[in-house]
Amino acid sequence: MNASIARRKTRTNLWKYVAGAVIALLLAHNSVYFKKLDEVKAAGSAGSGKFDAATYAQTFWRTKLIPSLPNAATDLATLLPLLKTDKDKAFTTYSQALGIGNIRYFLVKGEGTVTAVNDNDVTLSLTSGETVRLATEYIFGNAARDASGLIKITEFDNTTDLNNVSAAINDIVRKDVIPPLKVAAKPGKKLQFIGAIELNRAHLHLENMEVIPILVN
Amino acid sequence: MTSQRFIFLWFISLLLTSSCTNKTDSGQPKKVAVIVSTLNNPWFVVLAESAAAEAKSLGYEAKVFDSQNNPSLEADHFENAIVSGFNAILLNPTDSDGSIVNVQKAKDAGIPVFCMDREVNSSKVATSQILSDNYSGCVSIGEEFVKDLNKKGAYVEILGMVGDNNTWNRSKGFHSVVDRYPGLKMVAQQSGDFDRNKAMDVLESILQAHPDINAVFCGNDAMAMGAYQALVAAGKAKEVGVYGFDGADDVMNSIRDKKIKVTGLQSPQTMAKTAAQFADTYFKGKRDFAQRIPVAVELVTQKTIDDYETPAKP
């Protein structure tokens, strides 16, 4: 009688162990998983999935930015002296940025003589005496997107789309603006340009200024 | 009938006027909860304290809650804030997916939530999200990286936590520039979990297989310090450039000492103050907030380091 109870107990315990082991295995199986780094990278903070940054950039460039340029751009002959004498007024009056912080952008225009054609830029001596560089290699960042102030942050509810717009506008600059600039830029030649610059409001440096070109004649 | 309508309109206008002050109906100041992922990291302490200080300076009561990097503790803080009658929440989330449900609960209770520094992966729950422009900051770092290496060389990338959006925004910004230059070869990409010691271990083992690298790009400054230590131990600190992100004091000092090349300076103070100011304008009736607002990250190099104050050396 006692032996039969003991056998039953052993069997019950065995089932308990088996059930416990199955649950533990299930938990372990479901709590550990492996993903390829590439999959995680692709997921990242994806954009809306519907937004076409290239089309948006083309439309913006053609219908908004280029038509606005003659009136919207500030002449460097006006801006540079103001930045030196009244920085705050210059930033308040002429700068734009979609975000907040010290980095601000200006839509500028100027005229000057090519003094050097380098691997990464074209150096111009402005009629007002200053020197600027028109970028031909490092066309990155948000200057061309933000400087006009024509794109509003409220149009976007995710940062991926916003970043892709910058990249798409920079692609237009690389494709449509830089090749003719490189052809036209010969030492001694006069050029008129409209472009975008990035300046730090708190730590302002006007020497060695680089312009992302948008329109060059 | 006319007098009833007048009394009704007067009552409604009284309600509206009272909701546009920094006081509650009981005459007490409105309350702002600052719920932060961790107070075990000085960067987040600055974020939380700046948010609370700005809220107080605007006339509100402010209380800081530490989620200790634990989403369930964060959920408790939200419950507490809702039950205790807080009027706005300034949030630094513990988890970009896991925190969504908490923000939704506050939204359902009519409490606006303003995210600081870290985002939640939803555009429908938070009132606004004020975030470091990690992507653009790393575009600038990438450009400097390409110039420093003269468009060619072998490099290693040490990523932050793979589940964190900031990790990938930084990595994608960097690669959006560097990948355009075929002369630059990434020989290894591994996670250092934003941790100094882990980054040191990771780079030490990578250096065994790839001793001839030219640079290391790290997803934050703690990992940059760890990478630098690994390079010192391998006798390669002078020939391999280290690039970080954050603007942490020890890296700013290391840039000054020409040990580290570059970092991207974030501003927790700007994000925290903006979040508190947004809560203030919300109380005053503003509702049309942009869902995500980037806060500029400044490029700090050995050429521009003198623009920045010398932080105290530890």
mmCIF file of all heavy atoms in Angstrom, chain A residues 37 40-41 45 99-100 102-103 120 137-138 140-142 153 157-158 163 171 174 200 203 205, chain B residues 123 135-136 143 146-147 151 162 168-169 172 177 180-181 189 274 292 294-296 298 307-308:
data_model
loop_
_atom_site.group_PDB
_atom_site.id
_atom_site.type_symbol
_atom_site.label_atom_id
_atom_site.label_comp_id
_atom_site.label_asym_id
_atom_site.label_seq_id
_atom_site.Cartn_x
_atom_site.Cartn_y
_atom_site.Cartn_z
ATOM 1 N N LEU A 37 22.165 42.365 -37.571
ATOM 2 C CA LEU A 37 22.406 43.798 -37.373
ATOM 3 C C LEU A 37 21.828 44.607 -38.532
ATOM 4 O O LEU A 37 21.268 45.679 -38.339
ATOM 5 C CB LEU A 37 23.921 44.033 -37.280
ATOM 6 C CG LEU A 37 24.394 45.249 -36.495
ATOM 7 C CD1 LEU A 37 23.802 45.273 -35.093
ATOM 8 C CD2 LEU A 37 25.911 45.261 -36.424
ATOM 9 N N VAL A 40 18.110 45.240 -38.004
ATOM 10 C CA VAL A 40 17.868 46.277 -37.002
ATOM 11 C C VAL A 40 18.172 47.637 -37.609
ATOM 12 O O VAL A 40 17.449 48.607 -37.448
ATOM 13 C CB VAL A 40 18.756 46.044 -35.757
ATOM 14 C CG1 VAL A 40 18.520 47.132 -34.720
ATOM 15 C CG2 VAL A 40 18.469 44.691 -35.154
ATOM 16 N N LYS A 41 19.288 47.680 -38.353
ATOM 17 C CA LYS A 41 19.719 48.939 -38.977
ATOM 18 C C LYS A 41 18.649 49.435 -39.940
ATOM 19 O O LYS A 41 18.311 50.608 -39.964
ATOM 20 C CB LYS A 41 21.021 48.686 -39.734
ATOM 21 C CG LYS A 41 21.806 49.947 -39.994
ATOM 22 C CD LYS A 41 22.946 49.692 -40.950
ATOM 23 C CE LYS A 41 24.018 48.798 -40.406
ATOM 24 N NZ LYS A 41 25.167 48.692 -41.305
ATOM 25 N N SER A 45 14.933 54.155 -37.076
ATOM 26 C CA SER A 45 13.763 55.014 -36.881
ATOM 27 C C SER A 45 13.276 55.357 -38.274
ATOM 28 O O SER A 45 13.553 56.413 -38.803
ATOM 29 C CB SER A 45 14.125 56.262 -36.105
ATOM 30 O OG SER A 45 15.046 57.025 -36.803
ATOM 31 N N GLY A 99 15.416 73.708 -36.985
ATOM 32 C CA GLY A 99 15.545 73.291 -35.594
ATOM 33 C C GLY A 99 15.853 74.472 -34.691
ATOM 34 O O GLY A 99 15.754 75.628 -35.105
ATOM 35 N N ILE A 100 16.206 74.151 -33.442
ATOM 36 C CA ILE A 100 16.604 75.207 -32.528
ATOM 37 C C ILE A 100 18.062 74.989 -32.116
ATOM 38 O O ILE A 100 18.603 73.909 -32.304
ATOM 39 C CB ILE A 100 15.692 75.258 -31.283
ATOM 40 C CG1 ILE A 100 15.532 73.881 -30.647
ATOM 41 C CG2 ILE A 100 14.338 75.822 -31.617
ATOM 42 C CD1 ILE A 100 14.580 73.863 -29.465
ATOM 43 N N ASN A 102 22.232 76.839 -31.818
ATOM 44 C CA ASN A 102 23.153 77.872 -32.325
ATOM 45 C C ASN A 102 23.402 77.825 -33.828
ATOM 46 O O ASN A 102 23.906 78.785 -34.400
ATOM 47 C CB ASN A 102 24.515 77.743 -31.624
ATOM 48 C CG ASN A 102 24.437 78.177 -30.172
ATOM 49 O OD1 ASN A 102 23.597 79.015 -29.817
ATOM 50 N ND2 ASN A 102 25.286 77.608 -29.342
ATOM 51 N N ILE A 103 23.125 76.692 -34.462
ATOM 52 C CA ILE A 103 23.424 76.572 -35.891
ATOM 53 C C ILE A 103 22.294 77.214 -36.700
ATOM 54 O O ILE A 103 21.142 76.798 -36.606
ATOM 55 C CB ILE A 103 23.576 75.084 -36.312
ATOM 56 C CG1 ILE A 103 24.580 74.359 -35.414
ATOM 57 C CG2 ILE A 103 23.953 74.971 -37.783
ATOM 58 C CD1 ILE A 103 26.008 74.802 -35.544
ATOM 59 N N ASN A 120 38.386 70.826 -53.740
ATOM 60 C CA ASN A 120 37.112 70.768 -53.013
ATOM 61 C C ASN A 120 36.275 72.036 -53.105
ATOM 62 O O ASN A 120 35.159 72.066 -52.586
ATOM 63 C CB ASN A 120 37.370 70.473 -51.532
ATOM 64 C CG ASN A 120 38.098 69.151 -51.337
ATOM 65 O OD1 ASN A 120 37.895 68.217 -52.113
ATOM 66 N ND2 ASN A 120 38.956 69.079 -50.353
ATOM 67 N N GLU A 137 32.815 69.998 -53.520
ATOM 68 C CA GLU A 137 32.977 68.592 -53.137
ATOM 69 C C GLU A 137 32.095 68.224 -51.940
ATOM 70 O O GLU A 137 31.333 67.270 -51.988
ATOM 71 C CB GLU A 137 34.459 68.336 -52.794
ATOM 72 C CG GLU A 137 34.755 66.962 -52.210
ATOM 73 C CD GLU A 137 34.531 65.831 -53.195
ATOM 74 O OE1 GLU A 137 34.730 66.052 -54.403
ATOM 75 O OE2 GLU A 137 34.132 64.728 -52.757
ATOM 76 N N TYR A 138 32.218 68.987 -50.865
ATOM 77 C CA TYR A 138 31.505 68.618 -49.634
ATOM 78 C C TYR A 138 30.142 69.307 -49.584
ATOM 79 O O TYR A 138 29.971 70.352 -48.968
ATOM 80 C CB TYR A 138 32.358 68.955 -48.409
ATOM 81 C CG TYR A 138 33.629 68.139 -48.369
ATOM 82 C CD1 TYR A 138 34.873 68.720 -48.605
ATOM 83 C CD2 TYR A 138 33.574 66.767 -48.139
ATOM 84 C CE1 TYR A 138 36.031 67.960 -48.587
ATOM 85 C CE2 TYR A 138 34.722 66.001 -48.127
ATOM 86 C CZ TYR A 138 35.955 66.595 -48.354
ATOM 87 O OH TYR A 138 37.087 65.827 -48.347
ATOM 88 N N PHE A 140 27.059 68.778 -48.110
ATOM 89 C CA PHE A 140 26.342 68.030 -47.079
ATOM 90 C C PHE A 140 25.642 69.011 -46.139
ATOM 91 O O PHE A 140 25.867 70.215 -46.209
ATOM 92 C CB PHE A 140 27.329 67.163 -46.276
ATOM 93 C CG PHE A 140 28.027 66.123 -47.105
ATOM 94 C CD1 PHE A 140 29.370 66.260 -47.423
ATOM 95 C CD2 PHE A 140 27.345 65.009 -47.568
ATOM 96 C CE1 PHE A 140 30.019 65.307 -48.189
ATOM 97 C CE2 PHE A 140 27.990 64.049 -48.343
ATOM 98 C CZ PHE A 140 29.331 64.200 -48.657
ATOM 99 N N GLY A 141 24.828 68.473 -45.247
ATOM 100 C CA GLY A 141 24.199 69.298 -44.216
ATOM 101 C C GLY A 141 22.881 69.899 -44.657
ATOM 102 O O GLY A 141 22.327 69.559 -45.704
ATOM 103 N N ASN A 142 22.382 70.827 -43.843
ATOM 104 C CA ASN A 142 21.027 71.333 -44.016
ATOM 105 C C ASN A 142 20.961 72.757 -44.567
ATOM 106 O O ASN A 142 19.872 73.344 -44.613
ATOM 107 C CB ASN A 142 20.288 71.296 -42.668
ATOM 108 C CG ASN A 142 20.272 69.903 -42.079
ATOM 109 O OD1 ASN A 142 20.152 68.921 -42.822
ATOM 110 N ND2 ASN A 142 20.413 69.797 -40.776
ATOM 111 N N ILE A 153 8.911 73.197 -40.316
ATOM 112 C CA ILE A 153 9.094 71.986 -39.518
ATOM 113 C C ILE A 153 7.768 71.256 -39.283
ATOM 114 O O ILE A 153 7.715 70.035 -39.175
ATOM 115 C CB ILE A 153 9.782 72.329 -38.165
ATOM 116 C CG1 ILE A 153 10.105 71.081 -37.345
ATOM 117 C CG2 ILE A 153 8.960 73.267 -37.312
ATOM 118 C CD1 ILE A 153 11.312 70.367 -37.791
ATOM 119 N N ASP A 157 6.402 64.964 -39.548
ATOM 120 C CA ASP A 157 6.249 64.439 -38.202
ATOM 121 C C ASP A 157 7.288 63.368 -37.894
ATOM 122 O O ASP A 157 7.229 62.722 -36.870
ATOM 123 C CB ASP A 157 4.823 63.936 -37.930
ATOM 124 C CG ASP A 157 4.449 62.749 -38.782
ATOM 125 O OD1 ASP A 157 5.326 62.270 -39.520
ATOM 126 O OD2 ASP A 157 3.300 62.300 -38.711
ATOM 127 N N ASN A 158 8.266 63.193 -38.787
ATOM 128 C CA ASN A 158 9.390 62.335 -38.403
ATOM 129 C C ASN A 158 10.689 62.871 -39.000
ATOM 130 O O ASN A 158 10.704 63.484 -40.066
ATOM 131 C CB ASN A 158 9.146 60.867 -38.762
ATOM 132 C CG ASN A 158 9.312 60.607 -40.224
ATOM 133 O OD1 ASN A 158 10.434 60.547 -40.711
ATOM 134 N ND2 ASN A 158 8.203 60.501 -40.928
ATOM 135 N N ASN A 163 15.526 64.538 -42.809
ATOM 136 C CA ASN A 163 16.931 64.312 -43.187
ATOM 137 C C ASN A 163 17.034 63.917 -44.653
ATOM 138 O O ASN A 163 17.966 64.334 -45.355
ATOM 139 C CB ASN A 163 17.534 63.194 -42.325
ATOM 140 C CG ASN A 163 17.593 63.593 -40.865
ATOM 141 O OD1 ASN A 163 17.763 64.766 -40.550
ATOM 142 N ND2 ASN A 163 17.443 62.640 -39.980
ATOM 143 N N ASP A 171 21.674 66.456 -53.397
ATOM 144 C CA ASP A 171 21.883 65.708 -54.658
ATOM 145 C C ASP A 171 21.602 66.589 -55.870
ATOM 146 O O ASP A 171 22.301 66.499 -56.887
ATOM 147 C CB ASP A 171 20.960 64.476 -54.702
ATOM 148 C CG ASP A 171 21.556 63.294 -53.960
ATOM 149 O OD1 ASP A 171 22.779 63.300 -53.727
ATOM 150 O OD2 ASP A 171 20.798 62.370 -53.612
ATOM 151 N N ARG A 174 24.569 68.779 -56.344
ATOM 152 C CA ARG A 174 25.678 68.004 -56.945
ATOM 153 C C ARG A 174 25.466 67.779 -58.445
ATOM 154 O O ARG A 174 26.409 67.838 -59.223
ATOM 155 C CB ARG A 174 25.784 66.635 -56.264
ATOM 156 C CG ARG A 174 26.596 66.645 -55.021
ATOM 157 C CD ARG A 174 26.771 65.237 -54.448
ATOM 158 N NE ARG A 174 26.906 65.357 -53.001
ATOM 159 C CZ ARG A 174 25.967 65.057 -52.128
ATOM 160 N NH1 ARG A 174 24.833 64.536 -52.525
ATOM 161 N NH2 ARG A 174 26.170 65.231 -50.838
ATOM 162 N N ASN A 200 27.512 79.613 -36.816
ATOM 163 C CA ASN A 200 27.188 79.326 -35.417
ATOM 164 C C ASN A 200 26.964 80.653 -34.698
ATOM 165 O O ASN A 200 27.857 81.487 -34.629
ATOM 166 C CB ASN A 200 28.351 78.540 -34.794
ATOM 167 C CG ASN A 200 28.047 78.095 -33.385
ATOM 168 O OD1 ASN A 200 27.512 78.849 -32.576
ATOM 169 N ND2 ASN A 200 28.403 76.863 -33.083
ATOM 170 N N HIS A 203 29.338 81.027 -31.644
ATOM 171 C CA HIS A 203 30.775 80.989 -31.945
ATOM 172 C C HIS A 203 30.954 81.340 -33.413
ATOM 173 O O HIS A 203 31.098 80.457 -34.270
ATOM 174 C CB HIS A 203 31.350 79.604 -31.655
ATOM 175 C CG HIS A 203 30.985 79.088 -30.291
ATOM 176 N ND1 HIS A 203 31.457 79.663 -29.131
ATOM 177 C CD2 HIS A 203 30.172 78.090 -29.897
ATOM 178 C CE1 HIS A 203 30.946 79.025 -28.087
ATOM 179 N NE2 HIS A 203 30.164 78.064 -28.538
ATOM 180 N N HIS A 205 32.506 82.549 -36.826
ATOM 181 C CA HIS A 205 33.775 82.674 -37.552
ATOM 182 C C HIS A 205 33.450 83.047 -38.993
ATOM 183 O O HIS A 205 32.763 82.300 -39.687
ATOM 184 C CB HIS A 205 34.540 81.349 -37.529
ATOM 185 C CG HIS A 205 35.047 80.995 -36.167
ATOM 186 N ND1 HIS A 205 36.135 81.599 -35.607
ATOM 187 C CD2 HIS A 205 34.578 80.118 -35.243
ATOM 188 C CE1 HIS A 205 36.344 81.103 -34.395
ATOM 189 N NE2 HIS A 205 35.407 80.215 -34.147
ATOM 190 N N SER B 123 4.023 59.131 -33.637
ATOM 191 C CA SER B 123 3.833 60.561 -33.863
ATOM 192 C C SER B 123 2.473 61.016 -33.366
ATOM 193 O O SER B 123 2.054 62.131 -33.627
ATOM 194 C CB SER B 123 3.970 60.869 -35.355
ATOM 195 O OG SER B 123 5.252 60.510 -35.785
ATOM 196 N N TYR B 135 21.396 62.910 -36.426
ATOM 197 C CA TYR B 135 21.747 62.624 -37.823
ATOM 198 C C TYR B 135 22.618 63.746 -38.393
ATOM 199 O O TYR B 135 23.724 63.496 -38.885
ATOM 200 C CB TYR B 135 20.463 62.461 -38.634
ATOM 201 C CG TYR B 135 20.666 62.117 -40.092
ATOM 202 C CD1 TYR B 135 20.654 60.794 -40.518
ATOM 203 C CD2 TYR B 135 20.875 63.105 -41.041
ATOM 204 C CE1 TYR B 135 20.846 60.471 -41.847
ATOM 205 C CE2 TYR B 135 21.071 62.791 -42.375
ATOM 206 C CZ TYR B 135 21.046 61.475 -42.773
ATOM 207 O OH TYR B 135 21.241 61.158 -44.097
ATOM 208 N N SER B 136 22.131 64.990 -38.288
ATOM 209 C CA SER B 136 22.881 66.108 -38.877
ATOM 210 C C SER B 136 24.215 66.315 -38.164
ATOM 211 O O SER B 136 25.216 66.678 -38.793
ATOM 212 C CB SER B 136 22.059 67.401 -38.807
ATOM 213 O OG SER B 136 20.828 67.223 -39.442
ATOM 214 N N GLU B 143 31.805 64.503 -42.382
ATOM 215 C CA GLU B 143 32.524 65.385 -43.319
ATOM 216 C C GLU B 143 33.935 65.675 -42.797
ATOM 217 O O GLU B 143 34.912 65.619 -43.556
ATOM 218 C CB GLU B 143 31.719 66.679 -43.485
ATOM 219 C CG GLU B 143 32.208 67.550 -44.610
ATOM 220 C CD GLU B 143 31.358 68.808 -44.806
ATOM 221 O OE1 GLU B 143 30.136 68.762 -44.592
ATOM 222 O OE2 GLU B 143 31.953 69.835 -45.172
ATOM 223 N N VAL B 146 36.124 62.588 -43.242
ATOM 224 C CA VAL B 146 36.612 62.404 -44.618
ATOM 225 C C VAL B 146 37.770 63.367 -44.905
ATOM 226 O O VAL B 146 38.786 62.969 -45.492
ATOM 227 C CB VAL B 146 35.461 62.625 -45.639
ATOM 228 C CG1 VAL B 146 35.990 62.570 -47.066
ATOM 229 C CG2 VAL B 146 34.368 61.587 -45.446
ATOM 230 N N LYS B 147 37.613 64.607 -44.457
ATOM 231 C CA LYS B 147 38.680 65.589 -44.692
ATOM 232 C C LYS B 147 39.961 65.190 -43.952
ATOM 233 O O LYS B 147 41.048 65.240 -44.510
ATOM 234 C CB LYS B 147 38.231 66.977 -44.216
ATOM 235 C CG LYS B 147 37.177 67.634 -45.104
ATOM 236 C CD LYS B 147 36.736 68.960 -44.500
ATOM 237 C CE LYS B 147 35.578 69.557 -45.290
ATOM 238 N NZ LYS B 147 34.950 70.701 -44.594
ATOM 239 N N LYS B 151 40.072 61.248 -47.570
ATOM 240 C CA LYS B 151 39.220 60.389 -48.392
ATOM 241 C C LYS B 151 39.686 58.930 -48.500
ATOM 242 O O LYS B 151 39.150 58.188 -49.303
ATOM 243 C CB LYS B 151 39.036 60.959 -49.810
ATOM 244 C CG LYS B 151 38.446 62.366 -49.834
ATOM 245 C CD LYS B 151 38.458 62.955 -51.228
ATOM 246 C CE LYS B 151 38.120 64.433 -51.191
ATOM 247 N NZ LYS B 151 38.356 65.127 -52.432
ATOM 248 N N VAL B 162 22.032 48.708 -29.825
ATOM 249 C CA VAL B 162 21.425 48.475 -31.138
ATOM 250 C C VAL B 162 19.913 48.704 -31.148
ATOM 251 O O VAL B 162 19.320 48.908 -32.191
ATOM 252 C CB VAL B 162 21.743 47.068 -31.696
ATOM 253 C CG1 VAL B 162 23.178 46.943 -32.091
ATOM 254 C CG2 VAL B 162 21.357 45.980 -30.726
ATOM 255 N N TRP B 168 21.207 54.571 -34.347
ATOM 256 C CA TRP B 168 21.105 54.444 -35.808
ATOM 257 C C TRP B 168 21.047 55.797 -36.497
ATOM 258 O O TRP B 168 21.547 55.956 -37.608
ATOM 259 C CB TRP B 168 19.913 53.563 -36.177
ATOM 260 C CG TRP B 168 20.149 52.186 -35.649
ATOM 261 C CD1 TRP B 168 19.505 51.565 -34.635
ATOM 262 C CD2 TRP B 168 21.198 51.283 -36.055
ATOM 263 N NE1 TRP B 168 20.053 50.333 -34.393
ATOM 264 C CE2 TRP B 168 21.089 50.129 -35.249
ATOM 265 C CE3 TRP B 168 22.215 51.333 -37.011
ATOM 266 C CZ2 TRP B 168 21.962 49.042 -35.370
ATOM 267 C CZ3 TRP B 168 23.072 50.249 -37.146
ATOM 268 C CH2 TRP B 168 22.942 49.121 -36.333
ATOM 269 N N ASN B 169 20.433 56.800 -35.840
ATOM 270 C CA ASN B 169 20.439 58.138 -36.441
ATOM 271 C C ASN B 169 21.874 58.653 -36.570
ATOM 272 O O ASN B 169 22.234 59.279 -37.559
ATOM 273 C CB ASN B 169 19.599 59.101 -35.600
ATOM 274 C CG ASN B 169 18.116 58.844 -35.783
ATOM 275 O OD1 ASN B 169 17.697 58.319 -36.815
ATOM 276 N ND2 ASN B 169 17.322 59.187 -34.783
ATOM 277 N N LYS B 172 23.657 56.466 -39.298
ATOM 278 C CA LYS B 172 23.191 56.772 -40.653
ATOM 279 C C LYS B 172 23.699 58.127 -41.121
ATOM 280 O O LYS B 172 24.054 58.299 -42.289
ATOM 281 C CB LYS B 172 21.662 56.741 -40.702
ATOM 282 C CG LYS B 172 21.097 55.335 -40.712
ATOM 283 C CD LYS B 172 19.582 55.357 -40.637
ATOM 284 C CE LYS B 172 19.021 53.945 -40.579
ATOM 285 N NZ LYS B 172 17.575 53.942 -40.336
ATOM 286 N N VAL B 177 27.655 60.392 -45.381
ATOM 287 C CA VAL B 177 28.796 61.117 -45.945
ATOM 288 C C VAL B 177 29.920 60.149 -46.316
ATOM 289 O O VAL B 177 30.384 60.105 -47.458
ATOM 290 C CB VAL B 177 29.342 62.157 -44.927
ATOM 291 C CG1 VAL B 177 30.547 62.889 -45.503
ATOM 292 C CG2 VAL B 177 28.248 63.136 -44.525
ATOM 293 N N ARG B 180 30.137 57.698 -49.348
ATOM 294 C CA ARG B 180 30.302 58.236 -50.704
ATOM 295 C C ARG B 180 31.755 58.152 -51.168
ATOM 296 O O ARG B 180 32.052 58.463 -52.323
ATOM 297 C CB ARG B 180 29.849 59.702 -50.752
ATOM 298 C CG ARG B 180 28.404 59.917 -50.348
ATOM 299 C CD ARG B 180 28.024 61.370 -50.452
ATOM 300 N NE ARG B 180 27.833 61.761 -51.828
ATOM 301 C CZ ARG B 180 26.662 61.708 -52.461
ATOM 302 N NH1 ARG B 180 25.587 61.317 -51.822
ATOM 303 N NH2 ARG B 180 26.558 62.059 -53.715
ATOM 304 N N TYR B 181 32.643 57.784 -50.237
ATOM 305 C CA TYR B 181 34.075 57.765 -50.568
ATOM 306 C C TYR B 181 34.585 56.325 -50.536
ATOM 307 O O TYR B 181 34.838 55.767 -49.455
ATOM 308 C CB TYR B 181 34.843 58.673 -49.594
ATOM 309 C CG TYR B 181 34.415 60.105 -49.783
ATOM 310 C CD1 TYR B 181 33.358 60.640 -49.048
ATOM 311 C CD2 TYR B 181 34.988 60.905 -50.775
ATOM 312 C CE1 TYR B 181 32.906 61.936 -49.265
ATOM 313 C CE2 TYR B 181 34.545 62.196 -51.003
ATOM 314 C CZ TYR B 181 33.499 62.699 -50.250
ATOM 315 O OH TYR B 181 33.049 63.973 -50.488
ATOM 316 N N GLN B 189 32.390 46.747 -37.548
ATOM 317 C CA GLN B 189 31.318 47.553 -36.943
ATOM 318 C C GLN B 189 30.715 46.704 -35.836
ATOM 319 O O GLN B 189 30.140 45.653 -36.101
ATOM 320 C CB GLN B 189 30.250 47.882 -37.992
ATOM 321 C CG GLN B 189 29.116 48.758 -37.465
ATOM 322 C CD GLN B 189 27.951 48.853 -38.446
ATOM 323 O OE1 GLN B 189 27.521 47.855 -39.007
ATOM 324 N NE2 GLN B 189 27.458 50.059 -38.657
ATOM 325 N N THR B 274 13.560 74.115 -23.519
ATOM 326 C CA THR B 274 12.528 74.204 -24.555
ATOM 327 C C THR B 274 11.295 73.395 -24.155
ATOM 328 O O THR B 274 10.163 73.852 -24.328
ATOM 329 C CB THR B 274 13.077 73.700 -25.906
ATOM 330 O OG1 THR B 274 14.273 74.417 -26.197
ATOM 331 C CG2 THR B 274 12.088 73.908 -27.031
ATOM 332 N N ARG B 292 8.165 66.725 -34.032
ATOM 333 C CA ARG B 292 9.569 66.507 -33.659
ATOM 334 C C ARG B 292 10.382 67.751 -33.999
ATOM 335 O O ARG B 292 10.330 68.231 -35.135
ATOM 336 C CB ARG B 292 10.145 65.295 -34.398
ATOM 337 C CG ARG B 292 9.667 63.976 -33.824
ATOM 338 C CD ARG B 292 10.212 62.813 -34.628
ATOM 339 N NE ARG B 292 9.901 61.530 -34.009
ATOM 340 C CZ ARG B 292 8.737 60.904 -34.129
ATOM 341 N NH1 ARG B 292 7.777 61.441 -34.846
ATOM 342 N NH2 ARG B 292 8.550 59.740 -33.543
ATOM 343 N N PRO B 294 14.200 69.234 -34.094
ATOM 344 C CA PRO B 294 15.611 68.934 -33.907
ATOM 345 C C PRO B 294 16.352 70.065 -33.186
ATOM 346 O O PRO B 294 16.074 71.236 -33.424
ATOM 347 C CB PRO B 294 16.136 68.784 -35.344
ATOM 348 C CG PRO B 294 15.111 69.397 -36.232
ATOM 349 C CD PRO B 294 13.848 69.596 -35.471
ATOM 350 N N VAL B 295 17.247 69.685 -32.304
ATOM 351 C CA VAL B 295 18.106 70.674 -31.627
ATOM 352 C C VAL B 295 19.513 70.492 -32.181
ATOM 353 O O VAL B 295 20.044 69.375 -32.187
ATOM 354 C CB VAL B 295 18.093 70.451 -30.093
ATOM 355 C CG1 VAL B 295 19.036 71.425 -29.406
ATOM 356 C CG2 VAL B 295 16.680 70.612 -29.555
ATOM 357 N N ALA B 296 20.092 71.592 -32.655
ATOM 358 C CA ALA B 296 21.369 71.520 -33.364
ATOM 359 C C ALA B 296 22.477 70.933 -32.493
ATOM 360 O O ALA B 296 22.557 71.204 -31.295
ATOM 361 C CB ALA B 296 21.773 72.916 -33.832
ATOM 362 N N GLU B 298 26.603 70.772 -32.262
ATOM 363 C CA GLU B 298 27.719 71.562 -32.776
ATOM 364 C C GLU B 298 28.975 70.704 -32.937
ATOM 365 O O GLU B 298 29.322 69.939 -32.028
ATOM 366 C CB GLU B 298 28.016 72.729 -31.828
ATOM 367 C CG GLU B 298 26.833 73.675 -31.717
ATOM 368 C CD GLU B 298 27.084 74.835 -30.762
ATOM 369 O OE1 GLU B 298 28.237 75.282 -30.648
ATOM 370 O OE2 GLU B 298 26.107 75.271 -30.132
ATOM 371 N N ASP B 307 36.734 77.756 -28.719
ATOM 372 C CA ASP B 307 35.458 78.482 -28.609
ATOM 373 C C ASP B 307 34.679 78.073 -27.361
ATOM 374 O O ASP B 307 33.745 78.755 -26.957
ATOM 375 C CB ASP B 307 34.558 78.174 -29.820
ATOM 376 C CG ASP B 307 35.035 78.870 -31.080
ATOM 377 O OD1 ASP B 307 35.832 79.810 -30.961
ATOM 378 O OD2 ASP B 307 34.604 78.460 -32.179
ATOM 379 N N TYR B 308 35.041 76.929 -26.801
ATOM 380 C CA TYR B 308 34.242 76.379 -25.707
ATOM 381 C C TYR B 308 35.000 76.464 -24.390
ATOM 382 O O TYR B 308 36.220 76.284 -24.366
ATOM 383 C CB TYR B 308 33.865 74.917 -26.025
ATOM 384 C CG TYR B 308 33.058 74.847 -27.296
ATOM 385 C CD1 TYR B 308 33.680 74.734 -28.539
ATOM 386 C CD2 TYR B 308 31.675 74.969 -27.276
ATOM 387 C CE1 TYR B 308 32.954 74.732 -29.726
ATOM 388 C CE2 TYR B 308 30.938 74.963 -28.448
ATOM 389 C CZ TYR B 308 31.577 74.842 -29.666
ATOM 390 O OH TYR B 308 30.854 74.857 -30.830
#
